[in-house]
Amino acid sequence: MMETQLAAVVLAAGQGTRLKSKRPKVLHPLAGRPLAAWPLDCARQLGCAPTVLVTGYGAEQVEAALAATGVDFVRQPEQLGTGHALLCARPVLEDFRGTLLLLCGDVPLLRLETLRRLLQLHRDRQAAVTVLTAELDDPYGYGRIVRVGNQVEGIVEEKDASAEQRRIREINTGIYLFEVPFVFEALTGVGCDNAQGEYYLTDVVAVARRAGRTVCALATGDADEAMGINDRVQLAAAEAIMRRRINTMHLRNGVSILDPETTYIEAGVEIGADTTLLPGTILRGATIIGSDCAIGPHVTIDACRVADRVNIKAGSVLAESDIGPGTDIGPMAHLRPGTRLAGENKIGNFVETKKAEIGFGSKASHLTYLGDCELGSGVNIGCGTITCNYDGVNKHRTVIEDNVFVGSDTQFVAPVRIGRDSLIGAGSTITRDVPPESLALSRAEQKVVEGWVRRRKTKK
């Protein structure tokens, strides 16, 4: 059959009381993204237009968090069932004619390939309704799929099922494809005249069968895809599944992960081939790692760009920083937001940087703080050096030009500029600009009193 238009509705109105959280359920993070972002991303990749997110509990918070996705929002003022939630989206879809994909904002593990298979079956069979199903070893509590041949005869809830029907292991996942406007007409027709006073999507199946329309079901080969998140136990289980998927993808793309069980990589992180991740590595946010890098163990990188041939050693923490090629970092280094390393740098143990622009080949090997500063190329920073950037009210900048050698235990009291090819004597406190090719030092003159210790002992 000819392909028709495809729209999507994602249900995200629930509170999620079993999570015991002030945060709306669909905003709880999974691999670095809100739960609802996963089905929304599937809808986007399938080309659904429009995509409607039905909000309820914490609607303003949910809508603010997901505004950048470009979806349409509608609100479900009362929780009157999934059918009612779908009816709330009807005004946005008033002029839509085609196939509607219904997804759940708390079902994040669905694979795009599975939804494509579901859509293909729906189109091939010219179905009015197609439901995604799963087979469970223990289907207790789920609606059972009653089939006659390849067609679905009905969906029977646990409480209404006969003993024979309860032995059925194929269950309803709550993921559907419907034809529009049929689904809205069916929901309006069945109403909510039942004990719960709710609109049931399963009633649409019965309406379709009575009308002689085709109802299909596709069983996913992986029951994990249908996992809904109702409590933190399920959230942790889903996180583990998603982490394995992400790590497997990177392994197949040429990244070495020595211990996938202790390596945490969020969705969207990019890693080049022949990079090695040691145990305990955590990569978050919009992080991009180049090729031939070595990272870890126990390194955390958040929203950084790391070029090729970078070695980040044990215990280092990096956030919102750009790391040039051939750089050596750590162990136990802390690169805070705004750090920019041009390349071939060394940032050693217990070195902290913040808003630091550091030129090619410059080094700070140990026990140093570089904040609000600009270093040229070829600068050597001695142990114990500090840029004193904060006067208690305002931040000030230190500029150190090319090829400056800074002795150990130096304090730069910003704002100050150090000219190129200068040398700063160890133990100095620099409060004024230093011209190029100069020696600057500010320590007190050393005094030596010979024989003082011997005379002191004699007096005792």
Side-chain angles (χ1 to χ4, degrees), residues 184-460:
F184 293 122
E185 294 167 353
L187 282 170
T188 304
V190 298
C192 57
D193 186 17
N194 52 58
Q196 282 72 34
E198 295 184 354
Y199 292 83
Y200 294 131
L201 282 173
T202 51
D203 288 340
V204 177
V205 173
V207 172
R209 294 294 295 123
R210 287 196 299 269
R213 304 287 295 270
T214 300
V215 179
C216 297
L218 175 72
T220 173
D222 180 2
D224 288 339
E225 288 191 66
M227 179 191 296
I229 308 302
N230 295 303
D231 57 30
R232 294 181 192 261
V233 174
Q234 292 173 324
L235 183 61
E239 180 80 31
I241 292 167
M242 188 62 75
R243 187 170 70 249
R244 284 195 295 272
R245 287 185 188 177
I246 292 170
N247 288 356
T248 298
M249 176 193 71
H250 288 295
L251 287 164
R252 287 176 174 162
N253 287 338
V255 178
S256 293
I257 304 176
L258 270 61
D259 185 4
E261 291 301 312
T262 62
T263 302
Y264 298 79
I265 306 172
E266 289 188 347
V269 170
E270 300 177 23
I271 310 173
D274 292 317
T275 283
T276 298
L277 306 181
L278 278 69
T281 295
I282 300 174
L283 305 180
R284 292 176 172 157
T287 291
I288 300 175
I289 308 291
S291 300
D292 300 296
C293 296
I295 299 174
H298 303 291
V299 164
T300 299
I301 302 176
D302 188 356
C304 293
R305 297 177 65 91
V306 179
D308 299 341
R309 298 178 291 103
V310 171
N311 183 13
I312 305 176
K313 299 175 184 176
S316 297
V317 177
L318 290 70
E320 298 175 33
S321 298
D322 286 352
I323 313 303
T327 293
D328 199 17
I329 296 174
M332 305 300 289
H334 186 188
L335 276 58
R336 293 166 56 193
T339 297
R340 304 286 181 266
L341 307 183
E344 300 295 335
N345 303 107
K346 182 176 181 182
I347 303 296
N349 51 296
F350 302 104
V351 174
E352 180 179 357
T353 64
K354 189 269 294 185
K355 291 185 180 179
E357 302 274 351
I358 299 179
F360 186 84
S362 293
K363 301 176 181 180
S365 294
H366 31 225
L367 297 167
T368 290
Y369 172 69
L370 300 173
D372 294 286
C373 63
E374 178 183 341
L375 276 62
S377 61
V379 174
N380 184 86
I381 301 294
C383 178
T385 294
I386 300 171
T387 58
C388 306
N389 55 330
Y390 184 48
D391 63 9
V393 178
N394 298 307
K395 297 290 181 71
H396 302 281
R397 196 160 180 81
T398 296
V399 177
I400 302 175
E401 297 179 358
D402 295 348
N403 302 315
V404 171
F405 184 93
V406 179
S408 298
D409 193 28
T410 293
Q411 297 84 48
F412 294 101
V413 182
V416 67
R417 175 180 286 269
I418 311 302
R420 61 177 176 79
D421 299 306
S422 294
L423 190 149
I424 309 300
S428 295
T429 299
I430 303 300
T431 60
R432 300 192 306 271
D433 291 354
V434 176
E437 301 179 332
S438 299
L439 168 66
L441 66 164
S442 64
R443 68 176 83 105
E445 183 179 354
Q446 180 173 316
K447 181 178 180 180
V448 177
V449 181
E450 294 187 16
W452 182 87
V453 173
R454 183 177 63 253
R455 292 194 296 271
R456 182 170 180 267
K457 289 180 177 178
T458 302
K459 289 180 180 180
K460 289 183 178 180

